[in-house]
Amino acid sequence: MTGFLKLCAVLLVLVLTVACSSSRPTPEQDAVKSFQSAERLLERGLWEDAISAWEQVRDTYYTPELSMLAELKIADTYFLSERYAEAAIGYSEFLRRYPNDFRTPTLIFRLGQSYYRQILSRDRDQTNTRLALATFEEFLQRFPDNADQAAQLALRARTRLADHEVYVGRFYLQRKQYQPAISRLENTLRDFPDYYFRDEAFFFLGSAYLAAGKTDQAQQILQQLVEEFPASVYHDRARKILSREG
């Protein structure tokens, strides 16, 4: 049974139950009406009103099924309204409280997306990049049969982390802090062996080695750049350095 059909079944049972119990509106009936109202608000793109309606269901109605659905709907609405920080909190809390829910694969992926869509440029903090990568890696480990999109997003997250490390390495190099630059760039090549822009890391690592007086290591890494990346924008610059130092 799909999630939508399960939702309909839960609501139908609740409606029939409360309808038979009394002709006077009950808290249960009010909760169902609030839930249905929230669905209509969501369809109209009235995010805040929909969230308020689902919060009313969550906070005033004590049947676990409907309260659980309200929590999930709140997280979904945050995501749809591009409030990804709040969405991530909502999905994370839902997964913590209901680890065996049948929607777990979808929700782990949506949690990863919530982090991924908060990723900043390579010169800024990469906390959300690391969280996105960890979440997608969990998804890939637990649900390998649905790996394609998660694997692609995980690769993009790894690339951003490597970009950040190269940026920091260049930052240190420009300020003549050669050993920190070397450490960052060496770590990039070690930790991200499939990094697409390895030629950039090679070039600036070679430059850092050279500036630090490590001529042999500089020549080795720049020679590797020349041989492995003949079309690189750094190819000719590396060859000139090798000619000069050789």
Side-chain angles (χ1 to χ4, degrees), residues 6-237:
K6 287 192 175 185
L7 170 61
C8 290
V10 170
L11 292 176
L12 179 60
V13 169
L14 288 167
V15 169
L16 291 174
T17 300
V18 299
C20 295
S21 63
S22 173
S23 60
R24 183 178 180 179
T26 66
E28 291 83 358
Q29 288 174 310
D30 290 338
V32 171
K33 289 180 180 179
S34 294
F35 201 104
Q36 294 170 332
S37 174
E39 288 283 3
R40 291 191 293 270
L41 292 167
L42 178 64
E43 292 174 358
R44 295 165 57 190
L46 299 174
W47 316 118
E48 293 299 328
D49 292 337
I51 289 171
S52 296
W54 276 312
E55 286 177 339
Q56 181 179 355
V57 173
R58 181 196 63 191
D59 297 338
T60 61
Y61 186 56
Y62 301 106
T63 292
E65 292 82 2
L66 198 54
S67 297
M68 179 178 68
L69 287 171
E71 290 181 20
L72 182 54
K73 284 291 188 176
I74 290 169
D76 284 340
T77 305
Y78 280 134
F79 186 89
L80 291 170
S81 61
E82 301 182 1
R83 293 172 60 178
Y84 299 118
E86 292 95 331
I89 293 171
Y91 289 129
S92 182
E93 180 64 16
F94 187 93
L95 288 164
R96 184 189 68 80
R97 295 184 63 184
Y98 310 105
N100 299 317
D101 187 82
F102 72 96
R103 290 164 287 235
T104 292
T106 298
L107 299 182
I108 291 177
F109 185 77
R110 185 63 68 87
L111 175 61
Q113 287 182 305
S114 299
Y115 291 132
Y116 183 84
R117 296 186 184 188
Q118 296 179 77
I119 289 177
L120 303 176
S121 58
R122 74 175 192 167
D123 59 322
R124 300 179 66 186
D125 178 74
Q126 297 301 310
T127 297
N128 283 309
T129 313
R130 295 184 183 90
L131 290 170
L133 178 58
T135 305
F136 288 132
E137 286 179 340
E138 178 187 356
F139 181 92
L140 292 168
Q141 183 178 14
R142 294 179 62 181
F143 311 107
D145 293 338
N146 299 298
D148 290 347
Q149 192 173 0
Q152 184 181 42
L153 293 174
L155 176 60
R156 292 179 184 176
R158 281 193 294 271
T159 298
R160 177 52 54 84
L161 289 176
D163 284 341
H164 176 72
E165 293 301 302
V166 172
Y167 173 85
V168 174
R170 292 182 63 176
F171 176 88
Y172 284 131
L173 179 60
Q174 290 168 359
R175 282 152 183 77
K176 301 182 180 180
Q177 299 180 41
Y178 302 126
Q179 191 52 51
I182 289 170
S183 295
R184 286 283 187 160
L185 294 163
E186 284 180 339
N187 291 344
T188 302
L189 293 171
R190 182 196 66 214
D191 296 340
F192 304 97
D194 299 325
Y195 178 45
Y196 186 80
F197 302 105
R198 286 171 63 82
D199 57 328
E200 181 182 5
F202 278 137
F203 180 78
F204 289 105
L205 179 56
S207 300
Y209 281 144
L210 197 62
K214 300 180 179 183
T215 306
D216 290 344
Q217 290 168 279
Q219 290 177 334
Q220 181 181 356
I221 203 73
L222 292 173
Q223 185 62 42
Q224 188 175 354
L225 189 162
V226 168
E227 292 174 359
E228 293 186 15
F229 300 94
S232 170
V233 296
Y234 298 104
H235 181 272
D236 291 345
R237 293 168 67 181

